[in-house]
């Protein structure tokens, strides 16, 4: 496994001014940007890095150097930050240095395309008297693919750090997972946010998004709402650990309760979310998420918990109650198919992922619509590993065969925003936050589904 930790640069002067930065190298880190970069270094100090790569733009390069200075790993301390031109920010030559409000006013149709169909945004750029077509988002995705193809072969089995920008970081995550450029705005990267990708090999081989956009080290419990947010924020939590999780026994719809560690994880999630204003709460109707939700809601005693059958775990049918070795013996080859082409597996006397998709997304859409109708802003949703992963595929426009691209730790929190209601594109603001359970990397048992 190659572990890649991706960080966005610290707050810059252009960030504060709400000015388009692109590839302009004028903007510099603010005092907060430098302070947050130092906090990133402290948060990562127990991780041993084999290499650090940075964008050449000064706001990213300075962030990388501050992080590098905080790391106690001797191998990294003695190595320079390596600059990669392929980590430059998205190229928006006609908008660079303009205020966002000015771009809206001067280029209203292009700005609409940028938000609604970013892959179609086109700029006519004059290069030495020759006009050429430039598609900023498509070019950025090709740049990200080139970076992965150049870098991954050199770091098999190693851990590397990348310091880039909001746009290129999104493109790096998207090209790794196969997220289409039309979903460019469906994932976000906060200043000094930390994301973790685990590659089995090169680009195109299995990859897992372990976590995305962790901001807790900077003092932000959850990423802040985007400017102009009018919609709903959902906090998607996986239930705490059960004994069957620890044993890696398939539980599915067998109603296994939390173990003591699972209750502690729920308590820690409750403390983590205690200062978040929660307006409503929904749980799968099964015991383990229901108890997890009830423990979290001790900090929000006025909130009633609604139960939804549509959020129940996948039915593993005849696999339920069995360990992997037992399943392999009884259903030879099916576990390998489940690991590699999960969308094509029909659980014997159980469900397939399409069935989970249909019932869970229907429940999810109804939750969002009800919240919008009742003008509720933030909801707690507690469900299961397979349910959550299926919902994440739905949110990012991915098919069920991308199911394994997402990790969901016991007691982990993901943040999904609907800034423009159900008709707009949902935004995955953060995924699989487990800092309340023990640091940047996910140390939960996770276990079988």
């Amino acid at each position: 496994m190659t572990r890649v930790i991706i960080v966005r640069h610290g707050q810059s002067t252009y960030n504060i001014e709400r000015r388009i930065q692109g590839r302009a190298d004028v903007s510099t880190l603010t005092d907060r940007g430098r302070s947050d970069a130092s906090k990133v270094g402290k948060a990562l100090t127990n991780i041993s890095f084999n290499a650090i790569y940075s964008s050449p733009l000064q706001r990213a390069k300075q962030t990388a150097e501050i992080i590098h200075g905080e790391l106690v790993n001797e191998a990294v301390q003695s190595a320079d930050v390596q600059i990669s031109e392929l980590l430059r920010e998205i190229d928006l030559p006609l908008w660079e240095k303009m205020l966002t409000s000015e771009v809206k006013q001067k280029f209203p149709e292009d700005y609409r395309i940028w938000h609604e169909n970013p892959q179609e945004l086109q700029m006519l750029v004059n290069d030495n008297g020759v006009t050429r077509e430039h598609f900023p988002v498509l070019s950025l995705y090709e740049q990200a693919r080139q970076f992965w193809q150049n870098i991954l072969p050199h770091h098999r089995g190693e851990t590397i750090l990348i310091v880039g920008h909001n746009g290129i970081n999104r493109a790096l995550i998207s090209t790794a997972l196969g997220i289409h450029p039309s979903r460019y705005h469906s994932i976000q990267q906060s200043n000094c946010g930390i994301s973790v990708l685990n590659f089995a090999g090169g680009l195109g081989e299995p990859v897992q998004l372990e976590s995305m956009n962790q901001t807790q080290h900077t003092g932000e419990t959850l990423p802040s709402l985007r400017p102009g947010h009018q919609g709903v924020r959902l906090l998607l939590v996986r239930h705490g650990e059960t004994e069957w999780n620890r044993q890696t026994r398939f539980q599915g719809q067998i109603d296994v309760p939390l173990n003591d560690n699972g209750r502690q994880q729920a308590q820690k999630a409750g403390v983590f979310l205690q200062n978040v204003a929660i307006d409503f709460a929904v749980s799968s109707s099964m015991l383990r998420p229901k108890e997890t939700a009830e423990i979290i809601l001790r900090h929000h005693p006025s909130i009633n918990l609604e139960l939804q059958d549509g959020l129940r775990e996948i039915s593993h049918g005849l696999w339920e109650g069995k360990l992997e070795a037992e399943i392999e013996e009884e259903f030879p080859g099916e576990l390998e198919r489940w690991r590699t082409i999960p969308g094509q597996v029909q659980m014997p006397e159980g469900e397939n992922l399409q069935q989970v998709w249909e019932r869970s997304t229907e429940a999810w859409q109804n939750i969002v619509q009800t919240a919008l109708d009742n003008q509720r802003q933030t909801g707690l949703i507690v469900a299961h590993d397979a349910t959550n992963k299926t919902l994440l595929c739905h949110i990012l426009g991915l098919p069920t065969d991308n199911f394994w691209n997402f990790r969901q730790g016991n007691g982990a929190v993901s943040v999904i925003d609907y800034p423009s209601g159900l008709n707009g594109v949902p935004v995955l603001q953060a995924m699989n936050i487990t800092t309340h359970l023990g640091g940047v990397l996910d140390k939960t048992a996770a276990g079988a589904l």
Side-chain angles (χ1 to χ4, degrees), residues 9 30 63 81 90 97 106 278 280 283 302 307 357 398 424:
H9 64 77
T30 63
T63 301
V81 174
I90 187 169
K97 303 182 184 178
K106 189 173 180 182
I278 292 173
F280 63 98
S283 167
S302 65
L307 302 181
W357 177 293
L398 292 169

Side-chain angles (χ1 to χ4, degrees), residues 8 10 53 82 112 158 167 239 292 320 342 419 429 437 443:
R8 184 186 173 193
Y53 293 93
Q82 299 179 60
R112 183 193 65 77
E158 296 184 348
H239 64 77
T292 301
E320 291 185 354
Q429 286 281 4
L437 304 171
K443 298 181 177 69

